[in-house]
Every structure is written in structure tokens, then in C-alpha cells.
């Protein structure tokens, strides 16, 4: 896990809780076919499953610690859409839609994104589920998503 937090007496309990969260989510994250990321409330990715390499087309190691917006290309519409996404996450706790991402080589492609704000032991996180678009039923709650939300007590 790539978390940029100094180790002090005050942060040790928070780090222990974050490690516990990672262990719980690992039960669901590893086998899932959807790309699943967990970010802090500012949008920096702190955990991801291996499916991010297939869906986002970036090595998992390069995704960890990066801001989620890094993987979206600079376009005329993007600043307005990214503001809408973060407003929706902060005010409503969720955002669903299709976004354009780019891979390591810069090729652009659409993904279907379901994002939820969740709270674990009083700390807010953003959990995102992504899959290639088009891909079956767009926004039905998958078994993977239901398990994640149940583990977090958000379901």
C-alpha cells in the first residue's frame, strides 16, 4: 500500500485501521473482474486490484499513489465533468457514468464508472468500480460491489 503519511503516535491507530480496511477489501478485490480502486477523499488512489491493469491499461504499481484524474485525458469537456463528478461524490455520495480514460501510450477509451463515498471508522474514502464500455448491463449492482459495500457496512 502506498500511503503518504508520516508515522507518529497519532497516525499509528489510523494506519492500523487503514491496513485492516485493505485486508478486508482484499477478500473481494483480488478475484473481481471489475477494476476496483480505493482513494482517499482527495482522490489519491491508495489501493487497487489487479483488474486495473486490464480495465485502465496501466500497471497497478503506477496507479497506486496517483490522483484519479491522472488517467483522464486533457479535453475541453474534462474540467467541467471532473468538477461535476467530485461535486456529486461530496454532496450526494455517488456518481455513475461513462468517462474517457487514456492508457500508458495515450490511447483514449471509454470506461463505465460507478463511484461511491464510503466511511470506515470515521474516515471517508472513495471506492470506484470500473469496467470497459460497452459491457453488459451498465449499472446493476454487481456481486463484487455488494460484497464491498457489505464489508464496509455501507450496504
Amino acid at each position: 500500500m502506498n500511503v503518504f503519511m508520516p508515522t507518529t503516535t497519532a497516525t499509528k491507530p489510523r494506519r492500523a485501521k487503514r491496513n485492516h480496511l485493505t485486508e478486508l477489501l482484499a477478500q473481494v478485490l483480488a478475484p473481481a473482474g471489475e477494476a476496483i480502486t480505493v482513494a482517499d477523499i482527495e482522490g489519491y488512489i491508495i489501493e487497487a486490484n489487479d483488474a486495473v491493469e486490464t480495465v485502465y491499461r496501466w500497471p497497478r504499481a503506477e496507479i497506486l499513489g496517483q490522483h484519479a484524474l491522472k488517467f483522464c485525458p486533457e479535453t475541453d469537456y474534462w474540467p467541467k465533468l471532473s468538477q461535476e463528478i467530485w461535486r456529486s461524490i461530496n454532496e450526494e455520495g455517488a456518481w455513475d457514468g461513462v468517462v474517457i480514460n487514456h492508457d500508458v501510450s495515450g490511447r483514449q477509451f471509454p470506461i463505465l464508472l460507478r463511484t461511491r463515498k464510503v466511511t470506515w471508522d470515521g474516515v471517508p474514502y472513495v471506492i470506484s468500480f470500473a469496467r470497459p464500455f460497452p459491457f453488459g448491463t451498465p449499472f446493476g449492482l454487481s456481486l463484487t460491489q455488494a460484497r464491498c459495500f457489505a464489508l464496509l457496512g455501507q450496504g
Side-chain angles (χ1 to χ4, degrees):
M1 193 151 97
N2 192 357
V3 180
F4 303 105
M5 239 175 140
T7 304
T8 66
T9 305
T11 60
K12 285 181 183 178
R14 180 175 270 187
R15 180 168 285 161
K17 288 179 184 178
R18 187 171 285 172
N19 289 340
H20 182 65
L21 170 65
T22 301
E23 290 169 16
L24 284 174
L25 288 176
Q27 298 171 27
V28 177
L29 294 177
E34 297 170 300
I36 304 171
T37 59
V38 179
D40 63 21
I41 198 63
E42 294 175 0
Y44 289 92
I45 299 169
I46 58 173
E47 192 55 74
N49 67 345
D50 290 337
V52 297
E53 295 191 5
T54 302
V55 176
Y56 287 109
R57 304 176 192 169
W58 283 82
R60 180 179 174 275
E62 289 185 39
I63 288 175
L64 296 175
Q66 298 297 322
H67 197 280
L69 297 180
K70 174 184 177 175
F71 308 102
C72 300
E74 298 287 328
T75 61
D76 293 340
Y77 78 89
W78 182 246
K80 186 175 181 177
L81 178 59
S82 66
Q83 288 174 0
E84 170 58 24
I85 291 170
W86 285 105
R87 183 208 58 76
S88 182
I89 290 169
N90 285 316
E91 293 178 11
E92 300 166 23
W95 187 85
D96 293 338
V98 175
V99 296
I100 303 298
N101 273 27
H102 69 86
D103 63 15
V104 177
S105 69
R107 286 181 299 199
Q108 297 181 13
F109 57 95
I111 61 167
L112 195 57
L113 186 66
R114 167 172 270 185
T115 302
R116 299 291 182 265
K117 183 165 82 172
V118 297
T119 302
W120 177 260
D121 285 340
V123 179
Y125 295 93
V126 177
I127 187 166
S128 298
F129 303 89
R131 49 186 140 167
F133 180 80
F135 183 82
T137 306
F139 295 116
L141 186 66
S142 72
L143 183 58
T144 300
Q145 294 168 14
R147 286 180 180 158
C148 280
F149 293 136
L151 279 172
L152 294 167
Q154 311 287 320

